[in-house]
Amino acid sequence: MSLKAVPLAYYYSWGEVPDNMILPVMREFKDNGVDDLVFSHIWMTRILREPLFFAHLRKRAYDLKMNIIEPHAPWGQCYDLCCTDSARRENLIKDQKLAMNYAAELGAKTYTMHVGAYESVFFKTPNPELRKLALDSLEKLIPEAEKLGLVIAVENSYERSNTAGEAVFYASYFNTPAIGCCYDSGHANMMEPAGKVREKYFSEMDDAWGEKIEYFPDSLGAMLPYIVTCHLHDNDGYRDAHDLPGNGTINWKPLLARLQQAPRLMSMQTEVVSTRQSVRKLVEVFSKLRDGENVK
């Protein structure tokens, strides 16, 4: 399967954009040939507390004949799958179900979620304890995903509770096509062990791991059978920079050659901090990647 046949949705750093600039930014994407935008967690979280914003967003997309798809679920301790706050968990499920319905209304096919890192990082809660909570959340959310025709995509990150191995654990636990994985290239790059100097990592890795990082080589290989969508961005292997491909250490051509072998791949997403360069530059780089060119 050629990656040019896989829909690519573009992420933007909407948290840095005032409301009166949303339409001009969307129009700039349209003028550069982009039809699909990522349903940002920034927008999704706002819609949960401000429902009218969904109507405004939908109207802007309709006017420009654009799609707002491939959502990232609200995340953080009060939204993540392994949230330990018993007083919050019932409403967590309600909020995620509501968000999934908004996503489906706009035509989304996947719904990316975080297992959660808060308890693992700050309280060193062991993975087996967090798995019980995350599995409970997924058991309650998967029927909603099945009803809506969505696939919950569990994302890999760089904390003990979010390694590629943990993402695969959840995707393989349930006997349903309504769950899979979201492969995050930048997070995977941080977990590669080759040639790493521990002292170069940014401070969040100290919080997450302490003295010894348990590296996870070849996250892509482990996740490949389960990948339904992906977040594509670059870094230097030491910090979660969300850089433009070519500005970090990822070798993109072989990575994408392997990614196109993912049997369940439904979509791709950029996840570059987009205010660091023009929309035109963002589109140019990802167009080269999809054409099989290396950007290194």
Side-chain angles (χ1 to χ4, degrees):
M1 174 182 59
S2 168
L3 291 184
K4 293 189 74 172
V6 180
L8 174 66
Y10 281 80
Y11 169 89
Y12 201 77
S13 307
W14 296 108
E16 302 176 38
V17 179
D19 281 3
N20 64 350
M21 288 300 296
I22 292 176
L23 186 59
V25 172
M26 291 174 68
R27 185 176 289 117
E28 187 173 1
F29 273 106
K30 187 69 175 182
D31 290 345
N32 280 277
V34 172
D35 292 323
D36 299 330
L37 296 176
V38 170
F39 199 156
S40 163
H41 73 279
I42 296 291
W43 283 344
M44 189 69 83
T45 305
R46 179 175 175 181
I47 288 166
L48 290 179
R49 66 174 185 270
E50 190 182 336
L52 187 58
F53 182 67
F54 179 75
H56 294 323
L57 195 62
R58 184 167 175 251
K59 179 64 164 57
R60 290 171 178 135
Y62 178 83
D63 288 344
L64 291 174
K65 295 182 172 58
M66 296 190 78
N67 306 306
I68 300 174
I69 54 173
E70 303 317 289
H72 196 305
W75 62 272
Q77 169 60 357
C78 63
Y79 290 110
D80 290 336
L81 292 168
C82 71
C83 173
T84 60
D85 297 342
S86 57
R88 168 64 189 153
R89 287 189 58 80
E90 181 178 351
N91 284 327
L92 178 159
I93 299 300
K94 289 180 180 178
D95 284 345
Q96 293 289 5
K97 285 183 177 181
L98 180 58
M100 291 164 70
N101 276 266
Y102 280 122
E105 188 169 338
L106 292 185
K109 298 300 181 186
T110 68
Y111 187 77
T112 298
M113 300 193 73
H114 287 186
V115 176
Y118 187 86
E119 292 293 326
S120 177
V121 170
F122 295 112
F123 298 99
K124 309 306 177 192
T125 307
N127 282 356
E129 292 185 32
L130 298 178
R131 285 179 195 145
K132 294 175 185 177
L133 295 166
L135 289 172
D136 176 72
S137 297
L138 287 168
E139 284 173 357
K140 294 169 180 172
L141 292 173
I142 284 174
E144 192 73 10
E146 292 172 334
K147 181 183 78 174
L148 296 170
L150 288 173
V151 182
I152 295 172
V154 183
E155 180 180 346
N156 63 299
S157 192
Y158 49 84
E159 304 90 2
R160 184 178 286 105
S161 56
N162 290 308
T163 65
E166 287 299 300
V168 167
F169 167 79
Y170 294 108
S172 61
Y173 183 90
F174 297 95
N175 184 28
T176 174
I179 188 167
C181 286
C182 172
Y183 169 73
D184 189 293
S185 63
H187 297 165
N189 195 42
M190 292 174 65
M191 296 303 292
E192 286 290 338
K196 291 292 178 68
V197 178
R198 177 66 177 85
E199 291 74 19
K200 288 187 178 181
Y201 273 105
F202 75 155
S203 60
E204 286 187 22
M205 293 297 277
D206 291 328
D207 293 335
W209 291 96
E211 294 182 2
K212 182 177 175 57
I213 297 174
E214 296 173 17
Y215 294 104
F216 199 98
D218 196 16
S219 297
L220 179 56
M223 298 175 71
L224 200 65
Y226 306 97
I227 296 171
V228 294
T229 191
C230 55
H231 292 162
L232 302 177
H233 56 103
D234 212 336
N235 60 49
D236 62 0
Y238 291 104
R239 62 191 183 96
D240 193 22
H242 288 259
D243 278 338
L244 194 68
N247 289 352
T249 58
I250 294 176
N251 192 349
W252 284 95
K253 191 169 183 177
L255 185 152
L256 294 177
R258 293 181 70 197
L259 183 62
Q260 71 181 3
Q261 303 304 315
R264 298 181 61 193
L265 184 65
M266 303 168 67
S267 68
M268 301 186 295
Q269 306 171 43
T270 77
E271 208 177 58
V272 175
V273 176
S274 41
T275 50
R276 294 177 187 159
Q277 64 279 306
S278 67
V279 168
R280 179 180 294 275
K281 179 66 172 178
L282 188 68
V283 175
E284 284 178 353
V285 168
F286 278 94
S287 294
K288 286 182 180 178
L289 289 179
R290 297 181 85 193
D291 285 339
E293 299 179 36
N294 208 337
V295 293
K296 291 294 291 181

